[in-house]
Amino acid sequence: RYRSDPSVAHLMSERVRRMRVFYQSRFYTTLMKETVITVLFLTLVGRAGALRSPSQGTVTRGNPRLMSSKDEHVPMISVAMTREEGKNTKLFKAMRDDESLSQLIDPVELPCIAHADGPDLTRLRDSLLEPWDYVAITSPEAARVLAKAWDSSTMSSIKVAAVGKATEKELKSNNIDVMFTPSKAYAKTLVEELPGSTGTRLLYPASCRAPGTLADGLTERGFNVVRLNTYDTVTAEWTDAQKEYARQCQIACFASPSSIKGWLKNSGENKLVFAACIGQTSANACIELGWDESNIFHPESPGIDGWVDAIKQAVHKLNSVTSPV
C-alpha cells in the first residue's frame, strides 16, 4: 500500500536511510566488537577454569568429574581416569594445569578398581612388633594400609623402603619416615638397589594381586622375606552410563595392571582406546592383553608429570589420525 501513497513511501524511505546510517556508524561497529569480545572472554574463562561436577552438571574447580547416569557426551577428546574413586585428583589437577592440554580434553573419573581387606590384614599390627630390618611398601594404597597399623612410639626404629615418590609421599603424610627409595619406581629396581645381605629380614605388606617380583627377587639375594596380603584389588562395578561412556572413550589412563583388567571386564574388551600408562609395568600389561603397541604411551620413569606427557602424546596421535588430509 505504501508504494501507492507518496507520503508513506517517503516516510519508509527515510527510515531505511537512517537505519543504514546507524549500521555503518562507528558506534554500532564498536558495540558489536565489544559484544563479541565479551562473549569470547566468558567462554574461555569457563573452559579454562572449571569442569562439570560429578552429579549436577554445574562447574567445580579442583575436582575430577565422576561419570554418572546424568552425563552427556562432550565433543572434546574424552579421557578416562581409571584409578579407584577419589584417587584421580592429582592426575586431574596436572592435566588441568597444563594449558595446552586442558583446552583439548574432557577428563572423567571412571574407576576400574576398588580396594578390599586382604586375608592377612589382621596380622599386620602384631607382625610390625617383631624385629625387622625393613618394611617394604610398593604402592600408595599399601602405605595407607600400613599407616592404620603403625604406632610411632613402638615402630619408629623400623626402616621403611618405598618403591617410588608417590608411595614415599603417602607414607610421609602419615608421619612414617622413609629410609630408602630406588632410582626408578619399579619393584625390580628396588630389589637391585636396596642395601642388605644374606639374613636381612624384610616385611612386605602387599596387595593380594601383586606379582612376586619383590619377594622372589630379594629372596634370591638372601633376604628373609615375609609377605602379608593386607589388601585386595577388585574390579569396580559400572553403571550402564559408565559402560556407554567407555565405548565412546578415546584415551584411558592406566596406573596398574588391575585397572587395565577392570577396564576390559567393564568395557566389553575395548582395546581400541588409546592407553596412556603411568609406567612400563602398565604398558607391558596392555601389550600382554592385546593392545596395539602403537596405541600405548608411557614415560620412561613412572610419575604424574611423565603420565601427563604420555596423555599429550596420545592426544597428538589422535588428532593426527582424525584430522582431515
Side-chain angles (χ1 to χ4, degrees), residues 160-171:
V160 178
V163 74
K165 297 298 182 183
T167 302
E168 179 182 15
K169 185 176 181 180
E170 185 64 35
L171 287 165

Side-chain angles (χ1 to χ4, degrees), residues 187 191 204 207-220 225 227:
V191 167
Y204 176 34
S207 164
C208 294
R209 300 175 187 269
T213 306
L214 183 78
D216 294 346
L218 290 175
T219 299
E220 289 180 7
V225 179
R227 171 173 172 163

Side-chain angles (χ1 to χ4, degrees), residues 129-144:
L129 297 175
E130 299 177 23
W132 300 101
D133 296 303
Y134 293 107
V135 174
I137 304 299
T138 57
S139 72
E141 183 61 27
R144 285 184 279 271

